Amino acid sequence: MDHFLYRGGVLHAEGVALPQIAASVGTPFYVYSTATLTRHYQLFHDALGDLPHLVCFSVKSLSNIAVLKTLAGLGAGMDVVSGGEYRRARAAGVPGDNIVFSGVGKTVEEMRLTLDGGIRQFNVESEAEMAALNAVALSMGKVAPITVRVNPDVDAKTHAKIATGKKENKFGIPISRAREVYALAASLPGLRVVGVDVHIGSQLTDLAPFAQAFEKLAELVVQLRADGHGIERLDLGGGLGIPYAQSNDTPPLPQDYGALVREKLGHLGCEIEIEPGRLISGNAGLLVASVIYAKSGEERDFLILDAAMNDLVRPSMYDAHHDVVPVIEPAPASERHSYDVVGPVCETGDTFARGRALPLLDAGDLVAFRSAGAYGAVMASEYNTRPLVPEVLVHGDHYAVIRERPSYEEILGRDRLPAWLDDSRKDA
Ligand code: LLP
C-alpha cells in the first residue's frame, strides 16, 4: 500500500497534487511519500515484534539524507556499502552504533573512516578483507566488531543480476568454509566476532529461498558456538520483493517474513538485524515526467517523455516492469491506446515500457512511474548531459525539494581544461 492516490481526478502524493509540484519544480522529478516510508519501516519493525532487532535501512536503495533522517527518526539503523553512504547516514544523524557496513570491497580508507566515526559492525566478505581490517584496527588501537557474510548457495529465484547467494556469485564466504574462516577471525586481535551475516539477493517474491538460507544459518550458528565463537547477532540482509505490477504481483508480506525469521532463528537468542531497502523505499516513490511528443510509428505508437534511461535505468538494465499511470485520471470508460513509452536518449534501450494501455496523451501531459523510489534516483546518471532529476519529499500537505536539479553551469563547471587546451593559460 502507498499514499499515491487520485483525488478529484488528479494523482496526489499524500495531500499534494502532482501538477502543483510539476509547476514549481519542473519535470522530470522524483517524489517520495513520508507516510509510505514510515508505514513500510513500521511493518518490518512490527513483524519482528519482541525479537530483539534492528531494522537497518539499505541506504543504496534511496540515499537522500532527508529520507534517511525520516527513517532514523523512527529508530531505523542503516546498512551502508561505501564511505559515501556512511557519510550520508552520519549527516542524517544516525549514530555509528546503528550503522552496519556491508560490501565486497571495503577500502582501507573506508575502514579508517568508519572505525574512527563509530560503526556497529563490518560484514566481512573475504579473508583478504579480514586481514586488512585487522591491520587497520590495530594501527588505530581499536578492535573492529565483525560478522562474516556467508554464502549459503541457495537460488534466490530472482533476476540473475541481483541474485547474490549462489556459489558462483562474488559475495561472501562459502558456508562450507565458514568454520575455518571464523577460526581465522578469532585469531586476529584487531577483530571481535559478533555474529553472522547473509544476504541472498534482491526482489525475492517467494519465502522459500529465505527459509533454506535461514535453516543453513541456524545450523552454522550451533557449530560456531560449539567452536567457541560468541554469536550474538544475525544479520539477515534485505531482499524482500515488492509488487511492481499492481494488477498481479503478490510478494510475501513483511509479517510472513517475520514469522519465518522467528520460526527458523528465534530459538537462537540472537539479536536480529535486517537490511531491507526496496520494500521500504520502492513503493514510496514515483518518477513524474511530461510527454514531449506523441509519435505514431508505422507499427507502434510512442510516447516520448522528458525522462529517460539515465533517470530510471531499471527497465533497460533489468527488463524491469514499472506501472505507468497518467497524472490526470482517465474516465473509467474512456478509450485506451497502446503506447511504447520511451525517453529521448539515442538508444533503443531507452524504452521504459512497450504496448502499455493508456488514455490518449499528448505533449505536456504528465505521467508517473510507480514503484520508482528504490534504485531510481540513486542509479541515475548524467548520460547525454541530462541533469540529475530533483527529488521532492512530501509530508501530509507539505512538500520540499530535497535535492535540487543541478544547473548546467554546475555540470559543465566540473570539467577542467588541461593547460594545453586552455586558451587563457596557453601562453603562460
Ligand atoms: N543488503 C545487502 C548486502 C545488499 O546487497 C542489498 C541489495 C540489500 C541489503 C537491500 O536489498 P533490497 O531489500 O533492496 O532487495 N539495483 C537493483 C537491486 C540491487 C540490489 C543490491 N543489493 C534493482 O534495481 O533491482
Side-chain angles (χ1 to χ4, degrees):
M1 200 207 110
D2 62 44
H3 294 77
F4 301 109
L5 298 170
Y6 290 106
R7 293 188 182 188
V10 179
L11 191 59
H12 280 59
E14 301 187 22
V16 183
L18 295 180
Q20 189 192 342
I21 304 178
S24 70
V25 176
T27 56
F29 63 89
Y30 278 96
V31 58
Y32 310 123
S33 153
T34 300
T36 311
L37 289 165
T38 303
R39 179 184 142 77
H40 290 168
Y41 165 79
Q42 208 62 45
L43 286 177
F44 275 113
H45 184 53
D46 295 347
L48 295 175
D50 55 0
L51 284 176
H53 67 268
L54 185 65
V55 178
C56 296
F57 176 61
S58 189
V59 172
K60 66 161 76 80
S61 72
L62 174 53
S63 62
N64 190 291
I65 294 168
V67 168
L68 304 186
K69 188 152 189 175
T70 300
L71 292 168
L74 303 169
M78 300 286 151
D79 162 47
V80 304
V81 293
S82 68
E85 287 191 353
Y86 177 82
R87 286 177 163 91
R88 283 181 176 276
R90 293 308 309 266
V94 184
D97 246 10
N98 281 359
I99 304 177
V100 301
F101 194 173
S102 303
V104 72
K106 302 170 200 76
T107 65
V108 163
E109 291 71 30
E110 289 171 327
M111 291 170 182
R112 276 205 198 101
L113 171 80
T114 51
L115 272 173
D116 191 42
I119 191 82
R120 181 178 179 82
Q121 81 207 24
F122 294 87
N123 295 331
V124 173
E125 299 221 16
S126 65
E127 285 133 304
E129 188 186 43
M130 203 175 259
L133 182 59
N134 178 56
V136 172
L138 288 178
S139 75
M140 295 171 73
K142 302 213 175 217
V143 176
I146 68 151
T147 72
V148 175
R149 177 169 175 181
V150 295
N151 185 329
D153 192 25
V154 301
D155 184 352
K157 299 206 165 47
T158 183
H159 191 285
K161 283 187 187 160
I162 53 176
T164 55
K166 288 282 285 170
K167 61 173 182 266
E168 63 265 30
N169 299 131
K170 70 181 173 184
F171 298 98
I173 280 175
I175 198 161
S176 53
R177 293 196 43 239
R179 291 174 77 186
E180 73 185 83
V181 174
Y182 271 88
L184 172 66
S187 74
L188 299 174
L191 307 183
R192 181 167 65 86
V193 169
V194 295
V196 188
D197 171 48
V198 69
H199 168 80
I200 56 175
S202 194
Q203 186 54 16
L204 272 71
T205 51
D206 182 3
L207 285 181
F210 285 118
Q212 285 170 29
F214 295 168
E215 277 165 22
K216 292 188 176 190
L217 193 61
E219 265 175 49
L220 178 65
V221 170
V222 173
Q223 284 175 346
L224 292 176
R225 283 180 171 164
D227 292 345
H229 303 289
I231 306 296
E232 311 146 23
R233 302 178 192 162
L234 298 179
D235 182 335
L236 306 179
L240 204 56
I242 61 169
Y244 275 100
Q246 289 219 322
S247 46
N248 53 14
D249 285 0
T250 48
L253 300 172
Q255 65 246 44
D256 301 331
Y257 174 85
L260 182 74
V261 171
R262 192 179 306 272
E263 177 199 329
K264 303 288 183 198
L265 302 166
H267 60 287
L268 294 166
C270 288
E271 179 173 10
I272 302 294
E273 299 163 338
I274 54 172
E275 303 170 350
R278 191 188 316 260
L279 204 139
I280 292 179
S281 55
N283 285 330
L286 304 179
L287 171 63
V288 181
S290 301
V291 176
I292 308 180
Y293 301 112
K295 167 175 168 174
S296 297
E298 251 179 45
E299 293 183 355
R300 315 184 70 88
D301 290 339
F302 298 96
L303 274 185
I304 303 169
L305 306 183
D306 62 359
M309 63 189 289
N310 67 297
D311 306 313
L312 176 65
V313 77
R314 302 194 68 260
S316 63
M317 194 155 182
Y318 312 112
D319 301 315
H321 173 100
H322 284 264
D323 280 351
V324 185
V325 294
V327 166
I328 302 302
E329 189 175 24
S334 67
E335 196 187 318
R336 294 291 187 274
H337 200 76
S338 175
Y339 287 113
D340 284 8
V341 183
V342 303
V345 162
C346 310
E347 296 200 25
T348 303
D350 185 24
T351 296
F352 290 116
R354 291 168 70 79
R356 286 295 171 86
L358 286 162
L360 269 182
L361 291 169
D362 213 342
D365 289 337
L366 296 171
V367 296
F369 290 90
R370 299 185 62 93
S371 314
Y375 308 109
V378 288
M379 293 182 77
S381 76
E382 288 177 349
Y383 186 39
N384 280 207
T385 308
R386 295 168 46 83
L388 288 180
V389 173
E391 294 174 284
V392 173
L393 183 63
V394 170
H395 183 35
D397 295 336
H398 302 282
Y399 73 93
V401 174
I402 57 171
R403 190 182 71 194
E404 306 264 355
R405 194 188 309 277
S407 67
Y408 286 105
E409 289 70 33
E410 285 173 58
I411 297 173
L412 270 55
R414 289 201 299 263
D415 289 7
R416 293 282 174 271
L417 286 177
W420 67 89
L421 294 175
D422 186 343
D423 297 332
S424 66
R425 290 198 293 164
K426 241 179 192 167
D427 305 325

